[in-house]
Amino acid sequence: MSTIGWIILWGAVMTYAARVGGHLVLSRFVHVHPRVEAGLNAVPAAVLTTLVAPAAISAGPAEMIALVVAGLASLRVSLMTMFLIGAAVLIGLRQFIA
Amino acid sequence: MSAETLSEQDWTGDFWRGVKVGLPVVVASAPFGLLFGALAVDNGFSVTEAVLMSASIYGGASQMVGLDLFGARIAPWLIVLSIFAVNFRHVLYSGAVGRRIRHWPPLQRAVGFFFLVDPQYAESEIKGGRGEAITFAWYMGMALPIYVCWVIEAGIGGTFGNLIPNPRALGLDFLLPIYFLGLVMDFRRRPFWLPVVVSSAIASVIAYKTVGSPWHVTIGAAAGIILAASMPLDKDGSNPS
């Protein structure tokens, strides 16, 4: 098998291990400690924030404005609408800001 | 009406409700699926290998990191380790969603975890947080269209990638952060949401500038999670929510 083939195979195995592993470990405990529970509840916001923050910091004005507008829009509209608004603002501004 | 037809209707209804929840994700991930295919071929992958990677790893950010490192001639074991590092957050998703799908038979759980990507996790948590049951039908209704399109897009992107004249003008490179921001905002009613988001943002930016990608994900997430876990508990020992 080619190098790329091996990378894909092991990348897939490790990824599946991560996706099934958390459950296999946690399901051994009948009672989940409240602090673990609090930590787990914070996982989505914490992880997703790390995918946004560095991109926002290194972004230019067009990207920044698009993020702010989309963020404000998300207080009122659904995820899909918010996403389309953000994309429209971004594409529009990029025609003017290099 | 017999109980059997009723449950069959439930199954179909749940499946389609899942499909509906997944549609925005199909649209939002399409540019990335296509972009991945185009970049993969650009980095020396065949179209078949690009499709295989999307079909077997099924994790956009980690696939991009894998491509990037392969193009940079990094040692294969380090590439695999980096893919694992980017997807390590799925351990946490797995632990969280696992609590909500304990009633599934083992085989269904084994299948379900394969599809546990960011939006799948986020929507499952949102639904579970509303006190609704996560059924296998709903879960797969959401997962399958996203997955099938994702795999097809790698093939299309790999085959026709060079036809996009100016990807930047279409905002392709910045759609993912906008989408992820929307998901972050969806969780704003969770306990300690603001301190978690602020600490994860600061930690991830510092890690991004010092240790570098992809570790900023692990380090930034750890900051927010540890903060939430160390917040004072209610008198009865439970977490205020």
Side-chain angles (χ1 to χ4, degrees):
Chain A
M1 191 155 47
S2 68
T3 310
I4 291 178
W6 283 109
I7 292 171
I8 293 173
L9 176 70
W10 282 105
V13 168
M14 297 299 280
T15 299
Y16 185 71
R19 285 178 188 160
V20 81
H23 172 62
L24 290 182
V25 172
L26 269 188
S27 64
R28 292 179 183 280
F29 301 97
V30 179
H31 183 72
V32 179
H33 191 277
R35 293 209 180 275
V36 176
E37 184 104 27
L40 284 177
N41 277 329
V43 171
V47 173
L48 293 163
T49 298
T50 70
L51 302 178
V52 180
I57 290 290
S58 19
E63 293 77 14
M64 212 52 180
I65 294 169
L67 271 184
V68 170
V69 171
L72 290 176
S74 70
L75 297 173
R76 283 296 173 86
V77 300
S78 70
L79 177 60
M80 188 64 199
T81 316
M82 168 274 192
F83 176 73
L84 291 177
I85 291 173
V89 170
L90 177 67
I91 293 168
L93 284 177
R94 274 191 176 174
Q95 313 305 318
F96 305 106
I97 306 173
Chain B
M1 194 184 287
S2 77
E4 209 167 296
T5 43
L6 186 70
S7 78
E8 199 168 292
Q9 271 186 355
D10 278 356
W11 204 97
T12 316
D14 256 13
F15 185 87
W16 284 107
R17 272 188 286 279
V19 170
K20 205 177 149 211
V21 168
L23 279 184
V25 184
V26 170
V27 176
S29 62
F32 308 108
L34 296 167
L35 188 66
F36 167 77
L39 290 178
V41 170
D42 203 45
N43 277 280
F45 281 51
S46 69
V47 176
T48 313
E49 285 164 340
V51 169
L52 197 64
M53 195 179 198
S54 276
S56 64
I57 294 182
Y58 184 45
S62 68
Q63 291 176 223
M64 295 293 191
V65 167
L67 280 189
D68 194 52
L69 297 179
F70 183 78
R73 304 274 177 277
I74 303 285
W77 71 271
L78 265 178
I79 301 178
V80 171
L81 192 67
S82 299
I83 291 172
F84 182 64
V86 174
N87 288 337
F88 186 73
R89 64 186 186 280
H90 295 164
V91 168
L92 303 165
Y93 295 177
S94 166
V97 168
R99 294 179 300 173
R100 305 195 186 280
I101 61 168
R102 272 186 199 178
H103 55 286
W104 293 9
L107 185 65
Q108 288 187 358
R109 267 181 283 165
V111 170
F113 282 123
F114 174 81
F115 296 98
L116 193 57
V117 291
D118 303 75
Q120 188 78 36
Y121 166 67
E123 293 294 349
S124 298
E125 278 294 286
I126 291 166
K127 187 174 167 69
R130 282 199 301 255
E132 298 172 19
I134 309 288
T135 62
F136 186 66
W138 176 87
Y139 188 93
M140 293 310 289
M142 177 181 175
L144 284 178
I146 302 173
Y147 177 76
V148 170
C149 290
W150 181 253
V151 174
I152 293 172
E153 283 150 17
I156 298 175
T159 312
F160 301 105
N162 301 330
L163 296 183
I164 303 175
N166 186 357
R168 201 180 170 277
L170 291 176
L172 286 191
D173 54 303
F174 207 73
L175 292 183
L176 208 51
I178 294 175
Y179 177 73
F180 287 143
L181 175 67
L183 289 179
V184 169
M185 297 300 291
D186 258 359
F187 288 101
R188 65 185 181 275
R189 289 183 190 88
R190 286 275 171 103
F192 317 123
W193 178 80
L194 191 61
V196 165
V197 167
V198 169
S199 55
S200 286
I202 293 171
S204 68
V205 168
I206 292 172
Y208 185 75
K209 302 248 182 207
T210 54
V211 192
S213 183
W215 300 103
H216 67 281
V217 176
T218 312
I219 294 168
I225 294 163
I226 291 168
L227 181 86
S230 51
M231 284 291 192
L233 301 168
D234 274 358
K235 284 193 189 97
D236 60 353
S238 72
N239 189 239
S241 47

